[in-house]
Amino acid sequence: MAARNTLRRSMLYVPGSSQRFLDKSRALTADCVAYDLEDSVTPHMKAEARSLVRRAIDQPSPLGIRERAVRINSVDSGLALGDLTEVLQSPNLSTILIPKVNSASDLTFVTDVVNHVLSQQSATSAAPRPPISLLALIESAKSITNLSEICAATPLLQGLGFAAEDFALDLSITRTPSLTEFLFARSAIATAARAANLPSTIDLVCTAYKSDKSDGSPPAALEEECRNGRRLGFNGKQCIHPSQVSTVNEIFGPEAEETVWAMRIVIADEKAARSGRGAWTLDGKMIDVPVAHKARAIVTKAEACGVDISALREEWMHQEPE
């Protein structure tokens, strides 16, 4: 079973065929950097990109990056086996992003290759390596209709992502700023992932990255897309430029006020439990088991995002259930 890395607020794509971009990526800060062997790589550069990405992953992980993934080519392309055979040789690879997942068989193929390669490695080397996590990109009408089977295809699967441009192409629709044309697909993806207990739901790429404001702050479209995605149940977003990452991380991370609220509930709920109270109130609102569970999840995520939870607990240590 793959290790659960639930903090994927930002997934930043880096073209795998550019040594310059691969080198620059080591100075970036993001929850996940995805070295791309698919859309950003021209056909005649595919083989070279595999080697460049393999060498990039072989290097020690940079401090600012929590996770390094590789987006391979789709199973239908005929290039996936070559991609997997190359990048799985790196002992540092932990995550594989699979595009154009139309059915469970796509994930079964990748899982079989991963298990075969890793079993060969374990037979010849005693050195431990990180478990492999799979992330599936949903990009077509067929994949939407097969979501339940896709989510149950392999225990290695850790999340779903939505690829809007390919989905729009498949349905012959046009992307608009409101994103209403994607509402059904995005809701289906977030719901299916939650039902399958997958930790990551990664929303579509925002094509706006240059500031449209005089003060150089992030474009309004990026902020609105992030908030819209979070409201739908996504807990992360794909990024195409480093300038998008800080905004994405901020919006998909717990807000300061939300974290304080959650910590107050956690502390008061612990005291209520010790006194045998199953439901109580805080600030005039009823707090029961589902709300307490949500609060604990917020505190856990805030800690993963770097919030000093110990200091916050000490500050609110006298909170009582009302």
Side-chain angles (χ1 to χ4, degrees):
M1 179 69 71
R4 300 243 163 193
N5 181 343
T6 59
L7 194 65
R8 296 186 179 102
R9 297 167 297 175
S10 54
M11 174 182 283
L12 176 63
Y13 289 107
V14 175
S17 57
S18 171
Q19 185 64 60
R20 182 170 69 90
F21 285 139
L22 290 171
D23 291 340
K24 289 179 66 175
S25 73
R26 295 190 59 78
L28 298 176
T29 298
D31 286 347
C32 178
V33 164
Y35 299 120
D36 187 29
L37 297 177
E38 195 213 10
D39 283 348
S40 67
V41 180
T42 58
H44 74 280
M45 291 289 291
K46 296 288 187 183
E48 182 178 351
R50 288 172 183 161
S51 299
L52 293 177
V53 167
R54 158 77 186 281
R55 289 200 293 271
I57 303 173
D58 281 345
Q59 299 180 60
S61 183
L63 293 177
I65 299 173
R66 295 175 182 267
E67 177 183 44
R68 290 181 294 176
V70 174
R71 179 165 72 169
I72 63 172
N73 287 280
S74 68
V75 173
D76 286 346
S77 72
L79 299 170
L81 179 59
D83 293 341
L84 291 167
T85 302
E86 178 68 32
V87 299
L88 283 168
Q89 299 306 313
S90 175
N92 298 325
L93 179 66
S94 64
T95 309
I96 299 169
L97 183 60
I98 308 152
K100 299 177 176 61
V101 175
N102 288 318
S103 65
S105 62
D106 294 326
L107 294 182
T108 301
F109 172 85
V110 174
T111 300
D112 288 345
V113 175
V114 168
N115 289 338
H116 176 70
V117 172
L118 266 55
S119 65
Q120 288 186 320
Q121 291 177 356
S122 63
T124 59
S125 174
R129 61 163 299 152
I132 298 295
S133 296
L134 303 184
L135 301 173
L137 287 176
I138 305 303
E139 313 191 23
S140 68
K142 184 177 181 180
S143 62
I144 293 294
T145 61
N146 289 334
L147 275 173
S148 295
E149 292 82 1
I150 288 170
C151 289
T154 170
L156 300 184
L157 185 64
Q158 296 292 292
L160 303 178
F162 179 51
E165 302 307 323
D166 281 276
F167 184 81
L169 176 64
D170 187 44
L171 270 68
S172 298
I173 58 179
T174 301
R175 176 174 178 157
T176 65
S178 70
L179 303 180
T180 53
E181 61 278 359
F182 299 134
L183 179 59
F184 172 76
R186 293 165 77 206
S187 295
I189 290 168
T191 302
R194 179 64 263 165
N197 198 30
L198 302 180
S200 293
T201 46
I202 307 171
D203 203 9
L204 75 178
V205 162
C206 178
T207 56
Y209 62 90
K210 293 184 179 179
S211 177
D212 53 4
K213 305 174 185 176
S214 58
D215 60 1
S217 56
L222 175 62
E223 295 184 9
E224 178 54 32
E225 281 194 22
C226 289
R227 298 190 193 284
N228 178 269
R230 181 170 174 172
R231 286 192 293 266
L232 286 176
F234 288 89
N235 55 28
K237 191 171 183 66
Q238 299 163 76
C239 302
I240 55 171
H241 194 275
S243 64
Q244 296 177 321
V245 170
S246 61
T247 299
V248 170
N249 280 353
E250 178 181 354
I251 294 177
F252 281 100
E255 298 175 354
E257 183 178 337
E258 181 184 37
T259 305
V260 169
W261 170 84
M263 179 54 78
R264 291 176 64 202
I265 288 179
V266 167
I267 292 172
D269 189 61
E270 292 170 353
K271 295 178 180 179
R274 287 196 291 269
S275 62
R277 295 168 61 184
W280 45 279
T281 62
L282 181 73
D283 300 335
K285 296 182 180 180
M286 177 67 70
I287 307 298
D288 55 9
V289 172
V291 177
H293 283 172
K294 178 182 178 181
R296 282 192 284 274
I298 291 171
V299 169
T300 299
K301 185 172 184 178
E303 185 172 25
C305 292
V307 176
D308 189 344
I309 293 301
S310 297
L312 199 59
R313 176 177 280 275
E314 184 175 354
E315 179 182 354
W316 291 98
M317 60 185 295
H318 299 297
Q319 178 67 57
E320 297 288 336
E322 300 168 359

